């Protein structure tokens, strides 16, 4: 699949970056035990959160339903990319979504929940939610797929 090389490279690098940052912060920096680590107070801190649901911890279903849903979405995106053979930026966007989804699926399989640790608050407002590199990749990739694919048919 030489034609989809940007997609596959992006997906692998995204999943790898996600898992390496989670391992470093959660295990090596011991965030699992500490609960929170100031990074750039009051704006950025690492705050441990185990997400068993979907966005913002909203419960949806069991672990295996969420794993299956992520795999189905990745499969649908791959089918779309193979069928349409889009340009490099659309493939990179798809790779971000797929790599992020894979990173979060790995968490569900290893930990039983997604490891979220990035927390951004400001000016007396304490953000109750944390997120991770996979979440950022999924958001940016989905935005890219929507904006770069608009009007292509």
């Amino acid at each position: 699949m030489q034609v989809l090389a940007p997609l596959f490279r992006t997906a692998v690098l995204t999943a790898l970056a996600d898992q390496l940052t989670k391992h470093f912060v959660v295990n090596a920096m011991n965030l699992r035990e500490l609960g929170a680590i100031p990074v750039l107070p009051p704006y950025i801190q690492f705050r441990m959160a185990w997400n068993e649901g979907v966005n913002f911890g909203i419960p949806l279903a069991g672990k295996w339903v969420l794993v299956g849903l992520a795999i189905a979405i990745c499969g649908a995106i791959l089918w779309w990319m193979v069928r349409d053979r889009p340009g490099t930026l659309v493939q990179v966007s798809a790779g971000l979504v797929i790599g992020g989804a894979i990173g979060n699926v790995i968490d569900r399989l290893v930990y039983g929940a997604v490891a979220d640790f990035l927390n951004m608050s400001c000016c007396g407002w304490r953000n109750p939610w944390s997120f991770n590199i996979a979440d950022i990749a999924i958001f940016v990739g989905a935005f890219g797929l929507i904006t770069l694919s608009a009007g292509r048919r």
Side-chain angles (χ1 to χ4, degrees):
M1 286 268 161
Q2 188 67 11
V3 176
L4 296 178
L7 181 152
F8 291 116
R9 270 196 301 274
T10 303
V12 168
L13 289 173
T14 300
L16 189 59
D18 176 66
Q19 288 299 300
L20 288 174
T21 56
K22 286 174 183 170
H23 175 74
F24 180 72
V25 173
V26 174
N27 297 313
M29 292 181 72
N30 200 24
L31 185 63
R32 182 188 301 223
E33 298 298 320
L34 296 174
I37 300 171
V39 177
L40 232 139
Y43 307 107
I44 300 173
Q45 72 173 330
F46 295 152
R47 181 178 294 139
M48 192 71 241
W50 293 103
N51 185 349
E52 296 177 0
V54 290
N55 289 344
F56 306 113
I58 298 168
L60 176 68
K63 170 177 80 170
W64 294 108
V65 171
L66 294 173
V67 167
L69 181 62
I71 291 169
I73 290 169
C74 289
I77 292 172
L78 274 174
W79 176 77
W80 172 23
M81 295 297 113
V82 168
R83 185 192 69 197
D84 287 2
R85 302 222 190 271
T88 301
L89 288 177
V90 174
Q91 288 187 47
V92 167
S93 296
L96 287 169
V97 173
I98 290 170
I102 289 169
N104 283 342
V105 162
I106 290 169
D107 283 10
R108 290 190 192 285
L109 296 175
V110 172
Y111 302 118
V114 174
D116 290 333
F117 63 90
L118 289 167
N119 180 269
M120 299 176 76
S121 299
C122 180
C123 315
W125 176 69
R126 185 180 173 271
N127 181 3
W129 297 292
S130 294
F131 55 97
N132 59 43
I133 301 299
D135 298 337
I136 296 168
I138 291 167
F139 178 82
V140 171
F143 182 80
L145 286 176
I146 291 165
T147 58
L148 297 170
S149 299
R152 276 201 61 210
R153 282 239 176 231

